[in-house]
């Protein structure tokens, strides 16, 4: 794949609102939508890799999972170890057991279900769960496990049609899934246009699958013909500007009371979809999103996302509510950036590019063992 710096710039525009939202800053009530932008981007990047390899008959599901493990796990493990050390000293004893449960759920990629059953994303209690943000990583990992298997089974057998049907069903579940229930007659007596429930919960994977699949369709369009969008420059620039404007509109106008996920989520997701496609033919907006600051922020966005929330959460146990002391805010944000850069330089990049998989695997075994011993010690000693 050709490197696209503007996509890293788009990543930066996704992670910044998330951080400001978790810091309780005004005007960023819809900052959580940055995760939806990440899902579409992830679907695009992963699909591009898999489809290119399949078309050349060079795809190996084992190698794909190895690459994903080297990309995702080192930084995730480092943030869990970092958070565990801080939590041991700063989180109240009665909360440590819940935290230990969240460690295990994060390590085995079911934290979205764990937090769905135990803490709502918008509940006040969620702010005191240092690893609650790993729900999105669990959904991505579930996608990385299942999606390549699906493509291997159905590639060249109407797989695009099947994925489109799944996309529509997933989107409908995001909107109407709250009307379904586990007990007879399995549908609520009053069928509402939007109703919150288990099947369209904030962290339920099926109500998010359409976002990742939307990224897949962006990849298939660009793989088929990455030049067809360059014919009308005015149209291309217009689509890009409107899409970016709709993303900002969503971030500033949505809030925790907005129906979500729902048809409303189409606004930031389709905007991201169009940006991924049309930025190839843009001159003005592509240049803006490719500027050095945004690109470098995008490059460390994974570490920024991982580290910002545990730091905010643990501080909330001990310092303040992030609403009054802007000088302290500045220090904390600077600390988050420094820690994220260090993690990117010392953990993310070496494991992804330099350290071979055998050594990486040994590191995984050691880190998993360390964290599981810590967690089960907490369970056994209460």
């Amino acid at each position: 794949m050709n490197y696209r710096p503007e996509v890293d710039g788009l990543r930066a525009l996704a992670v910044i609102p998330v951080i400001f939202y978790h810091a309780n800053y005004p005007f960023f009530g819809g900052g959580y939508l940055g995760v939806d932008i990440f899902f579409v981007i992830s679907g695009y990047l992963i699909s591009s890799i898999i489809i290119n390899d399949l078309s050349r008959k060079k795809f190996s599901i084992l190698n794909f999972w190895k690459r994903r493990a080297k990309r995702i796990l080192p930084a995730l493990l480092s943030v869990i170890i970092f958070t565990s050390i801080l939590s041991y000293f700063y989180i109240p004893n009665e909360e440590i057991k819940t935290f230990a449960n969240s460690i295990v759920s994060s390590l085995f990629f079911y934290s979205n279900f764990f937090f769905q059953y135990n803490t709502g994303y918008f509940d006040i209690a969620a702010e005191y769960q240092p690893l609650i943000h790993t729900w999105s990583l669990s959904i991505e990992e579930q996608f990385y496990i299942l999606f390549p298997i699906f493509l291997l089974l159905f590639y060249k057998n109407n797989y695009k049609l099947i994925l489109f049907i799944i996309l529509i069903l997933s989107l409908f579940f995001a909107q109407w899934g709250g009307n379904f229930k586990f007990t007879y007659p399995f549908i609520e007596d009053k069928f509402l246009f939007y109703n919150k429930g288990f099947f369209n919960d904030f962290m339920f994977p099926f109500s998010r699958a359409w976002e990742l699949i939307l990224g897949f369709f962006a990849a298939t369009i660009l793989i088929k013909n990455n030049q067809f969008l360059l014919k009308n420059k005015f149209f291309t620039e217009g689509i890009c500007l409107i899409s970016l404007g709709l993303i900002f509109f969503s971030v500033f106008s949505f809030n925790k009371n907005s129906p979500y996920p729902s048809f409303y989520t189409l606004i930031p997701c389709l905007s991201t979809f169009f940006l991924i496609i049309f930025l190839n033919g843009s001159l003005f907006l592509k240049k803006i999103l490719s500027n050095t600051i945004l690109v470098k922020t995008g490059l460390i966005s994974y570490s920024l996302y991982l580290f910002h929330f545990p730091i905010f959460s643990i501080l909330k146990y001990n310092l303040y509510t992030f609403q009054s002391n802007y000088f302290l805010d500045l220090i904390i944000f600077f600390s988050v950036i420094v820690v994220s850069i260090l993690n990117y330089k010392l953990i993310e990049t070496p494991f992804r590019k330099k350290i071979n998989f055998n050594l990486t695997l040994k590191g995984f075994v050691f880190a998993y063992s360390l964290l599981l011993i810590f967690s089960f010690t907490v369970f056994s000693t209460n």
Side-chain angles (χ1 to χ4, degrees):
M1 291 177 59
N2 293 326
Y3 173 63
R4 297 183 62 187
E6 71 275 13
V7 174
D8 273 323
L10 198 55
R11 275 191 177 128
L13 294 185
V15 75
I16 291 169
V18 174
I19 294 173
F20 286 170
Y21 172 78
H22 287 148
N24 295 328
Y25 272 24
F27 310 117
F28 286 88
Y32 54 83
L33 293 167
V35 174
D36 302 271
I37 298 171
F38 274 122
F39 281 159
V40 179
I41 294 173
S42 293
Y44 158 69
L45 292 173
I46 294 306
S47 300
S48 299
I49 293 168
I50 296 176
I51 295 170
N52 272 315
D53 285 351
L54 283 171
S55 65
R56 294 181 296 152
K57 297 182 179 180
K58 291 184 178 181
F59 180 71
S60 164
I61 196 166
L62 186 60
N63 286 336
F64 172 80
W65 284 338
K66 283 181 178 179
R67 291 198 302 269
R68 287 297 90 201
K70 290 186 71 174
R71 176 70 180 94
I72 299 296
L73 287 180
L76 176 63
L77 291 169
S78 69
V79 79
I80 295 177
I81 292 171
F82 171 85
T83 308
S84 299
I85 294 169
L86 290 182
S87 297
Y88 183 80
F89 291 103
Y90 294 110
I91 286 183
N93 287 343
E94 60 270 18
E95 300 292 335
I96 286 289
K97 197 168 185 178
T98 301
F99 174 70
N101 272 302
S102 71
I103 289 177
V104 177
S105 69
S106 299
L107 290 175
F108 294 102
F109 312 122
Y110 67 91
S111 65
N112 55 319
F113 293 112
F114 172 76
F115 289 114
Q116 180 179 344
Y117 280 108
N118 291 279
T119 308
Y121 185 82
F122 295 111
D123 294 344
I124 294 296
E127 297 182 10
Y128 297 90
Q129 299 286 343
L131 295 178
I132 194 171
H133 65 317
T134 63
W135 72 270
S136 62
L137 296 181
S138 291
I139 287 182
E140 286 206 20
E141 286 299 324
Q142 291 156 18
F143 175 76
Y144 296 155
I145 292 169
L146 296 176
F147 187 63
I149 295 174
F150 169 86
L151 286 182
L152 280 176
L153 291 174
F154 294 100
Y155 187 63
K156 294 185 178 180
N157 290 294
N158 294 319
Y159 73 102
K160 293 180 184 177
L161 176 61
I162 297 170
L163 281 173
F164 183 73
I165 293 171
I166 295 172
L167 184 152
I168 296 299
L169 289 174
S170 171
L171 178 59
F172 282 1
F173 260 85
Q175 178 67 36
W176 291 307
N179 292 295
F180 298 97
K181 56 184 181 178
F182 287 106
T183 56
Y184 183 83
F186 308 112
I187 299 178
E188 296 289 349
D189 295 334
K190 188 177 181 181
F191 197 92
L192 301 175
F193 184 70
Y194 180 82
N195 191 30
K196 198 67 181 171
F198 177 84
F199 292 109
N200 68 340
D201 185 82
F202 191 94
M203 306 182 205
F204 192 67
F206 191 64
S207 62
R208 298 300 193 132
W210 68 272
E211 301 175 13
L212 291 149
I213 297 173
L214 195 61
F216 158 81
F217 281 107
T220 57
I221 290 171
L222 289 177
I223 287 172
K224 186 176 181 180
N225 187 347
N226 63 5
Q227 297 297 316
F228 82 103
L229 301 168
L230 307 183
K231 294 177 181 178
N232 190 322
K233 299 287 186 182
F234 180 78
F235 177 77
T236 300
E237 296 290 357
I239 289 292
C240 289
L241 287 171
I242 291 170
S243 298
L244 186 63
L246 287 173
I247 288 176
F248 284 124
F249 167 79
S250 303
V251 167
F252 296 137
S253 62
F254 281 43
N255 57 56
K256 64 181 181 181
N257 297 316
S258 301
Y260 181 87
S262 68
F263 288 161
Y264 286 102
T265 321
L266 282 166
I267 299 173
C269 289
L270 281 177
S271 297
T272 305
F273 171 82
F274 286 127
L275 281 171
I276 289 171
I277 295 173
F278 284 91
L279 277 173
N280 262 351
S282 167
L283 294 176
F284 174 69
L285 201 56
K286 182 176 181 178
K287 187 175 181 179
I288 291 176
L289 290 177
S290 300
N291 80 80
T292 303
I293 294 175
L294 282 179
V295 169
K296 288 188 175 180
T297 303
L299 287 172
I300 64 168
S301 60
Y302 180 45
S303 288
L304 279 171
Y305 180 77
L306 283 175
F307 277 93
H308 83 278
F309 193 81
I311 292 173
F312 289 179
S313 180
I314 291 169
L315 285 173
K316 285 176 184 180
Y317 275 110
N318 300 277
L319 291 179
Y320 75 129
T321 61
F322 288 93
Q323 291 180 340
S324 56
N325 192 331
Y326 287 101
F327 177 71
L328 191 54
D329 281 353
L330 189 62
I331 295 174
I332 292 167
F333 280 124
F334 180 74
S335 301
V336 169
I337 292 170
V338 170
V339 171
S340 300
I341 291 172
L342 289 173
N343 190 69
Y344 175 76
K345 296 282 188 182
L346 302 179
I347 303 294
E348 271 195 72
T349 303
F351 275 97
R352 189 168 78 249
K353 295 183 177 181
K354 298 178 182 179
I355 301 174
N356 64 58
F357 187 76
N358 289 334
L359 186 58
T360 301
L361 186 60
K362 292 176 182 177
F364 291 163
V365 170
F366 174 76
Y368 264 73
S369 301
L370 192 68
L371 290 166
L372 289 174
I373 289 170
F374 171 79
S375 299
F376 288 118
T377 300
V378 170
F379 299 150
S380 63
T381 61
N382 203 28

